[in-house]
Amino acid sequence: MFNSLSDRLTATFKNLRGKGRLTEADIDGTAREIRRALLDADVAVPVVRAFVAQVKERALGLEVSESLNPGQQVVKIVNEELVGILGGETRRLNLAKNPPTVIMLAGLQGAGKTTLAGKLAKHLKAAGHTPMLVACDLQRPNAVKQLQINGERAGVPVYAPHPGVSSEFDTATGDPVSVARDGIAEAKAKLHDIVIVDTAGRLGVDTEMMNQAANIRAAINPDEVLFVIDAMIGQDAVNTALAFQEGVNFTGVVLSKLDGDARGGAALSVASITGKPVMFASTGENLDDFEIFHPDRMASRILDMGDVMTLIEQAEKNWDKGEAERMAKKFADQEDFTLDDFLAQMAQIKKMGSMKKLLGMMPGSQISRQQLEQFDERQIDRVEAIVRSMTQHERVAPKIINGSRRARIAKGSGVAVSEVNQMLERFTEAQKMMKKMAAGGGMPGMPGSGKGAARKAKAKGKGKKQQQKFGNPAKAAQAELEAKNKKASAPAGAAFGQGAQEDFDPSSLNLPAGFEKYLGK
């Protein structure tokens, strides 16, 4: 969503690189470009004015003028101010001391409240809670049915005593206030610790909707009132948020449809204008496309600095620990990396979600924005189809795959032979990298690794030996005598409990298979 804003800000900061000192004209020009970028992103004008004024004031101060790298210091200031207008710090749900915790959802129709109710319920269930959904949207056609489906997909119960309306021509007859009140009582009786109440919305802010939402709020006295807002609505987000703040006095904001291609100004405006924190973000259509909103991480994404923490959290949540341990053991034993392993690793990556999102979280990525947008998510499925079209022997020994085998694999997987060739070339490079790392050579291309580093270490050791050999003979004799005396006075025990003069037997340590090769045995 923030691609356009991110590109504009990144281009602006490029002009500051390499400058040993920033003039007032440089800072004015940078502030002007930041102002234009934010306004083009539909950020509210009052927010833009306050943001740019604060950045400019700090940029003209001592923290930039006395900095060794003024350009980077300006980027740091912009990052900190972005975190500020996004809410400052991560805000968690306030759980009730006496369960159940009641969470009420409010917002316009079409903002994604009902879908978000299912996402939030699944998120809380994964955290060890026992949520229950309450269907109080009796006006929108099939809203109750939609919530029941989302509840079933999330694996949580739904309290829906009234079916609601099935078409726009039906007249709503149920009382949402009574449904909400009875839903709380049902949750207490069945010992649910969290209740999520889905309320009705309208296509626009009106008095009837606000009165109904206010009546539900008064009846159930919720611990949290979450205002769900479509991040794609632009400048109107501020007016809508202020109206709901006055009508229901919400305690937090949830941004939906952050995966859209709109300019995203709502996210940068709502928290600053209302003073209420953004707590969650909906980033897709699936129930798993939901995350806690971290202002610092979002600011890093906007400034194209990546989001490593979210990437790590997704990996920890989705990665199979058994598979990771198996690969670690294989890596330690220096076994060959096979196509079956390649397939297993790709399956693990697919569990983490969209590859575009994962690549977008990588800091300092060499992939351009255009390349990222053109990335085909189905490429992973094609690679999987190619590997699955191979025999078991071919997966273990890919060197036997000749021209006729490649043609057969291509036909079986429905791709061109050239794609099979490209996949095998990529796999060969990955296999070489794995062998190099297992042999202790480190990551290819990284400093301090590879043959060059080994040669340097060898030359360094050789130089030391030559220095000892051709030094002053009297000093050499004295050093040899001191070494003998030190060895004689050393304690009999050694690091592993063996005698100092005894041969070390690694089998007595009960080490993992293959480990003795690291001990020189």
Side-chain angles (χ1 to χ4, degrees):
M1 168 157 284
F2 297 106
N3 288 354
S4 176
L5 176 60
S6 179
D7 290 342
R8 291 282 297 271
L9 292 177
T10 304
T12 300
F13 297 140
K14 280 182 180 178
N15 299 327
L16 302 178
R17 289 179 184 172
K19 292 192 175 184
R21 181 177 176 275
L22 296 182
T23 64
E24 189 170 345
D26 291 331
I27 293 173
D28 285 340
T30 302
R32 192 182 311 114
E33 289 301 318
I34 292 173
R35 182 185 298 109
R36 289 174 180 171
L38 293 174
L39 289 174
D40 285 346
D42 269 343
V43 181
V45 175
V47 177
V48 175
R49 286 175 180 163
F51 179 83
V52 173
Q54 186 66 16
V55 169
K56 191 173 178 180
E57 180 182 347
R58 291 182 62 185
L60 289 170
L62 292 177
E63 62 180 307
V64 171
S65 62
E66 295 181 355
S67 173
L68 293 176
N69 195 324
Q72 288 186 1
Q73 194 66 25
V74 171
V75 175
K76 179 175 178 288
I77 290 171
V78 173
N79 181 64
E80 290 173 354
E81 293 300 323
L82 267 178
V83 172
I85 67 172
L86 286 170
E89 58 184 18
T90 305
R91 158 84 147 75
R92 306 282 180 171
L93 285 171
N94 289 324
L95 300 179
K97 293 181 180 179
N98 298 315
T101 299
V102 180
I103 302 172
M104 173 181 167
L105 304 181
L108 295 178
Q109 184 174 314
K113 291 190 304 301
T114 304
T115 303
L116 188 120
K119 292 181 177 183
L120 181 58
K122 186 173 183 179
H123 169 77
L124 292 171
K125 183 182 178 183
H129 296 284
T130 55
M132 186 181 81
L133 299 172
V134 178
C136 292
D137 185 356
L138 308 180
Q139 282 80 15
R140 182 169 63 86
N142 295 316
V144 175
K145 184 65 176 177
Q146 182 187 355
L147 188 67
Q148 289 173 329
I149 293 172
N150 286 336
E152 184 179 349
R153 289 168 59 196
V156 299
V158 179
Y159 180 75
H162 196 285
V165 297
S166 57
S167 74
E168 58 183 342
F169 303 105
D170 294 343
T171 302
T173 56
D175 182 10
V177 178
S178 298
V179 172
R181 191 184 296 112
D182 294 343
I184 305 299
E186 178 77 4
K188 288 180 179 178
K190 295 190 175 180
L191 302 179
H192 291 281
D193 66 342
I194 292 180
V195 182
I196 301 171
V197 180
D198 180 32
T199 64
R202 296 288 187 278
L203 295 176
V205 177
D206 59 38
T207 306
E208 181 185 355
M209 179 190 68
M210 282 301 176
N211 288 339
Q212 185 185 103
N215 291 337
I216 293 175
R217 193 190 200 291
I220 63 177
N221 190 25
D223 300 283
E224 295 278 10
V225 179
L226 302 183
F227 170 53
V228 183
I229 186 167
D230 185 344
M232 301 175 69
I233 66 174
Q235 289 279 353
D236 196 44
V238 173
N239 296 331
T240 305
L242 290 174
F244 271 90
Q245 184 179 27
E246 183 180 351
V248 296
N249 189 26
F250 57 83
T251 58
V253 180
V254 180
L255 292 172
S256 64
K257 306 180 185 178
L258 269 184
D259 57 320
D261 57 358
R263 289 171 285 187
L268 301 178
S269 304
V270 173
S272 181
I273 291 291
T274 63
K276 301 297 172 67
V278 180
M279 296 175 61
F280 299 101
S282 176
T283 57
E285 295 179 0
N286 296 322
L287 290 187
D288 292 322
D289 297 330
F290 178 82
E291 59 188 48
I292 297 171
F293 189 88
H294 300 277
D296 53 342
R297 300 183 193 180
M298 184 57 69
S300 293
R301 291 189 203 180
I302 293 171
L303 296 179
D304 206 20
M305 296 177 182
D307 186 358
V308 177
M309 287 305 299
T310 300
L311 194 61
I312 291 171
E313 286 175 1
Q314 287 192 12
E316 288 178 343
K317 183 170 65 174
N318 296 288
W319 208 262
D320 186 343
K321 292 182 180 179
E323 176 64 24
E325 289 173 1
R326 185 186 72 82
M327 283 303 301
K329 185 178 184 305
K330 193 167 189 176
F331 185 79
D333 293 343
Q334 295 190 25
E335 297 179 17
D336 282 341
F337 183 69
T338 67
L339 279 162
D340 279 327
D341 299 325
F342 188 60
L343 197 64
Q345 296 304 301
M346 290 187 64
Q348 296 289 336
I349 292 172
K350 282 178 68 176
K351 288 181 183 178
M352 293 174 62
S354 167
M355 278 298 296
K356 284 185 181 180
K357 290 181 183 177
L358 297 179
L359 291 171
M361 293 179 192
M362 296 290 287
S365 175
Q366 299 300 315
I367 302 175
S368 68
R369 185 82 62 191
Q370 185 177 4
Q371 289 174 316
L372 192 60
E373 290 299 323
Q374 291 175 351
F375 179 80
D376 187 1
E377 297 276 359
R378 294 172 298 176
Q379 182 65 26
I380 296 178
D381 296 328
R382 285 196 286 270
V383 171
E384 185 177 352
I386 290 171
V387 177
R388 293 194 183 281
S389 296
M390 299 177 184
T391 65
Q392 192 61 42
H393 186 44
E394 287 170 343
R395 295 183 197 180
V396 177
K399 289 183 179 180
I400 69 170
I401 304 178
N402 55 20
S404 60
R405 288 176 183 265
R406 293 179 189 224
R408 190 205 76 239
I409 292 167
K411 187 175 181 181
S413 56
V415 300
V417 176
S418 59
E419 288 192 58
V420 177
N421 295 336
Q422 289 172 8
M423 193 281 294
L424 288 172
E425 287 175 8
R426 289 197 297 268
F427 170 73
T428 302
E429 291 300 317
Q431 197 176 41
K432 287 179 181 177
M433 184 185 71
M434 290 295 185
K435 283 183 179 179
K436 191 174 183 70
M437 292 175 66
M443 187 74 89
M446 293 294 287
S449 64
K451 294 180 180 178
R455 282 197 298 268
K456 288 180 182 179
K458 189 176 180 180
K460 189 176 180 182
K462 188 177 180 181
K464 285 184 177 178
K465 287 181 181 178
Q466 289 175 346
Q467 187 178 1
Q468 286 182 344
K469 184 177 179 180
F470 297 108
N472 188 323
K475 288 185 177 180
Q478 180 66 25
E480 186 177 354
L481 181 61
E482 289 178 359
K484 284 183 179 179
N485 293 334
K486 187 175 181 180
K487 185 175 181 182
S489 62
F496 291 97
Q498 300 286 334
Q501 304 299 325
E502 293 177 7
D503 287 332
F504 171 59
D505 181 14
S507 63
S508 64
L509 298 178
N510 194 25
L511 295 171
F515 194 81
E516 58 271 7
K517 60 175 162 285
Y518 297 108
L519 303 175
K521 295 288 179 180

